[in-house]
Amino acid sequence: MDLLNTLRKILVSIPLCNRCLGRQFSSLIPSYDNETKGRMLKDLLFMSEKIEKEERSKKSLRVFKALAESGHDYSQNFIKKNSPGLKISPKPCYICGSEINQLINKAVEKIVEEASKAEFDTFYVGLTLPISLEEKDEKVKSFFKLGFGEALKNDLNREINQKVGKLLGKKVRMKRPDVLFVYDAINNKVTMQINSIFLRSSYRKLVGGIAQTKWRGMDSNDVTPSIEKMLEEVLIPAFKGRKLKFHGAGREDVDVKMLGDGRPFIVEIIEPKVRNIDLNNLHLEFNRRFGNMVEVFPFTKTSYLDVPRLKKEAERRRKTYRIIFETEREVSEEELKEISEKLTGCLIRQRTPLRVLKRRGDRVRKKTVYQAFFKRLRDNLYEAIVTCSGGLYVKELLHGDEGRTVPSVASLLNTKVKIVEMEVTGIEGG
Ligand SMILES: [Zn+2]
């Protein structure tokens, strides 16, 4: 391909603005934006025609005219001086109607205005363009067999992102930016999507009667306090978020305490308008308000990728429970020693417990008890310390769940077992 011939052919056939011309050759020189590239190409053609004109005169007048009509100022001045009788009527760009730079400026202005509504460090701008615009650009590329160009959307995306970034002093990030703007060029409208913030911590539940998450069932009158609700009260105002989502590394029952180093969790703050907060004070604020029931450890920033990891880890992690229970008949020290030995290292086959059958499918889980100690407290009251795989239903391990958990403390002792109190005392690696 001869560059000058191609340029001549394009511009004599259709008027193109600098940016729309530059874009058709954009990969030839990576530096410069397409506006500058287009200008350079027009200058180049102008210079080449000047040489031609010296030698062959008239023929090149068509090219000067085309250049002048596409907005090239040197060509306009040249014609004024050398062919004052020739009439020049500026023609709008075939692709964009000479409105592309205006489109860019309008988009940038709208986005910068919208950006003042939220705090962020990274952003990305996406575009909705009139189809006809992209179609015309493609048509030019295929008609003149131009293989060095880039797509119109690329050009505009890059230009707008760069300009917005410079004006706001923020970083452009395509993958998972803090905020995503979508500019609709057809209606000159912009929407802002604020991505969630993820914070990681662990909680200790010092008393029973607290749910991990808010009740989401039909009965909206449930007033059981929840850790999620407490976090909401502290974090939503701090981050000016719209909502909060709790992701726990497993969960314990409402009546079960969570002690030791606590249970890890990730809290997702949805649509936060504020992002840069001193995390050192947040857990103190939480503990000041709710520390008599629930304590949290310092929060650290984390990513959405850690949510599925946290859930997977929870399954694998060993947990240690302390359970106080009653038996129907008195159990001897000898028997207690015997079940300690039987359960330590024992594989437990557990069908989905009756109490969760409504929410979960009926299947058999195989879990391991790594260690079990039993101690008599008084009369028919005993204490058990059990370390087992994550996901083992410990209440059922004790009472047997009508034979659905095998073996169980109840079946091994051949008596009924009633749980009085229970707490998680440790989560491995928590
Ligand atoms: Zn154009």
Side-chain angles (χ1 to χ4, degrees):
M1 181 177 110
D2 179 84
L3 179 62
L4 280 170
N5 268 339
T6 309
L7 279 176
R8 200 176 287 123
K9 214 159 84 189
I10 296 173
L11 282 172
V12 168
S13 321
I14 50 168
L16 287 181
C17 70
N18 291 349
R19 177 170 293 277
C20 289
L21 178 67
R23 186 169 55 250
Q24 313 307 333
F25 300 89
S26 69
S27 69
L28 293 175
I29 300 184
S31 35
Y32 311 115
D33 61 39
N34 288 331
E35 174 75 28
T36 313
K37 243 172 252 178
R39 169 74 207 208
M40 284 163 61
L41 290 168
K42 286 183 185 177
D43 284 349
L44 178 71
L45 184 59
F46 174 77
M47 290 188 282
S48 145
E49 286 310 312
K50 262 179 125 175
I51 297 171
E52 292 259 323
K53 191 184 181 310
E54 298 289 312
E55 291 162 6
R56 287 193 286 147
S57 81
K58 268 194 179 162
K59 238 188 152 184
S60 52
L61 204 61
R62 266 178 76 206
V63 181
F64 286 123
K65 188 166 180 263
L67 274 169
E69 288 182 339
S70 80
H72 190 244
D73 49 358
Y74 288 168
S75 302
Q76 288 166 355
N77 295 339
F78 180 84
I79 287 176
K80 238 183 240 167
K81 211 165 127 195
N82 296 288
S83 316
L86 191 66
K87 208 167 168 327
I88 296 166
S89 40
K91 288 182 181 155
C93 169
Y94 167 76
I95 295 172
C96 73
S98 301
E99 282 176 356
I100 202 159
N101 290 329
Q102 212 180 321
L103 186 156
I104 292 170
N105 292 338
K106 268 206 280 193
V108 171
E109 194 184 317
K110 272 268 170 193
I111 292 160
V112 168
E113 187 191 312
E114 185 71 15
S116 65
K117 295 177 189 165
E119 194 178 87
F120 59 92
D121 297 318
T122 58
F123 74 95
Y124 191 73
V125 179
L127 291 174
T128 314
L129 296 173
I131 299 167
S132 62
L133 205 62
E134 290 180 89
E135 274 177 355
K136 280 184 185 163
D137 191 69
E138 287 305 317
K139 224 166 147 184
V140 170
K141 283 184 172 67
S142 68
F143 186 83
F144 295 101
K145 299 187 174 59
L146 302 169
F148 305 103
E150 70 175 324
L152 175 89
K153 209 170 202 167
N154 263 7
D155 181 13
L156 290 181
N157 260 332
R158 193 189 44 245
E159 189 71 18
I160 293 170
N161 273 294
Q162 271 176 8
K163 282 198 165 166
V164 171
K166 222 179 212 172
L167 273 169
L168 297 175
K170 313 276 184 195
K171 268 197 206 112
V172 180
R173 186 188 287 160
M174 215 167 157
K175 215 180 152 212
R176 244 357 239 215
D178 292 345
V179 298
L180 175 72
F181 298 99
V182 177
Y183 178 71
D184 170 1
I186 303 160
N187 301 303
N188 187 30
K189 268 194 184 141
V190 64
T191 49
M192 176 167 61
Q193 181 199 312
I194 306 174
N195 282 328
S196 300
I197 286 178
F198 294 82
L199 300 177
R200 191 184 171 116
S201 178
S202 297
Y203 70 80
R204 281 162 50 90
K205 190 166 108 187
L206 310 175
V207 294
I210 294 169
Q212 193 186 58
T213 51
K214 289 198 290 183
W215 177 248
R216 290 188 168 80
M218 297 291 283
D219 172 20
S220 55
N221 298 323
D222 190 284
V223 288
T224 311
S226 69
I227 298 169
E228 187 180 35
K229 185 90 186 28
M230 295 172 193
L231 285 167
E232 255 177 29
E233 286 183 28
V234 174
L235 300 182
I236 295 270
F239 287 93
K240 292 198 168 62
R242 186 170 66 80
K243 266 195 345 191
L244 179 146
K245 216 166 157 187
F246 185 95
H247 308 277
R251 61 166 67 216
E252 65 286 330
D253 290 330
V254 173
D255 56 329
V256 175
K257 295 176 197 166
M258 176 66 235
L259 304 172
D261 292 332
R263 186 185 292 277
F265 67 93
I266 289 175
V267 64
E268 174 179 357
I269 297 134
I270 297 169
E271 289 181 29
K273 291 212 163 81
V274 172
R275 293 188 103 84
N276 301 321
I277 282 185
D278 181 10
L279 292 182
N280 294 322
N281 291 323
L282 273 182
H283 71 289
L284 297 177
E285 162 76 7
F286 183 98
N287 293 340
R288 201 158 35 236
R289 290 178 63 177
F290 303 107
N292 56 341
M293 299 179 277
V294 176
E295 276 175 11
V296 295
F297 290 90
F299 291 100
T300 50
K301 272 215 170 135
T302 183
S303 127
Y304 68 103
L305 295 169
D306 283 331
V307 174
R309 270 183 220 147
L310 180 86
K311 308 236 161 182
K312 249 193 191 160
E313 278 168 27
E315 275 284 303
R316 283 202 305 266
R317 280 185 173 158
R318 296 179 182 197
K319 315 252 168 28
T320 302
Y321 296 83
R322 177 171 168 265
I323 312 113
I324 311 286
F325 65 98
E326 273 174 6
T327 54
E328 202 172 47
R329 67 166 180 88
E330 200 172 325
V331 175
S332 70
E333 292 290 338
E334 197 64 20
E335 285 175 290
L336 288 178
K337 220 179 136 197
E338 212 171 289
I339 58 163
S340 291
E341 280 166 15
K342 273 190 182 158
L343 282 176
T344 297
C346 183
L347 189 75
I348 311 292
R349 296 170 59 86
Q350 194 161 51
R351 271 181 72 187
T352 304
L354 290 167
R355 67 188 162 98
V356 298
L357 210 47
K358 259 191 240 163
R359 289 178 278 128
R360 302 206 171 167
D362 192 7
R363 63 182 183 92
V364 176
R365 291 174 181 78
K366 286 182 195 158
K367 301 281 175 179
T368 306
V369 171
Y370 297 102
Q371 253 176 349
F373 294 110
F374 294 87
K375 196 170 99 185
R376 178 205 224 115
L377 298 176
R378 62 182 146 80
D379 300 329
N380 289 5
L381 196 69
Y382 308 87
E383 180 193 72
I385 307 286
V386 176
T387 303
C388 56
S389 341
L392 183 122
Y393 292 101
V394 177
K395 284 178 181 169
E396 282 67 20
L397 173 70
L398 272 100
H399 63 58
D401 202 24
E402 297 179 16
R404 296 169 71 87
T405 293
V406 182
S408 68
V409 173
S411 71
L412 290 171
L413 293 174
N414 198 19
T415 183
K416 275 191 181 158
V417 168
K418 194 181 147 211
I419 289 150
V420 177
E421 208 186 300
M422 189 167 133
E423 60 201 31
V424 184
T425 56
I427 296 179
E428 177 199 58

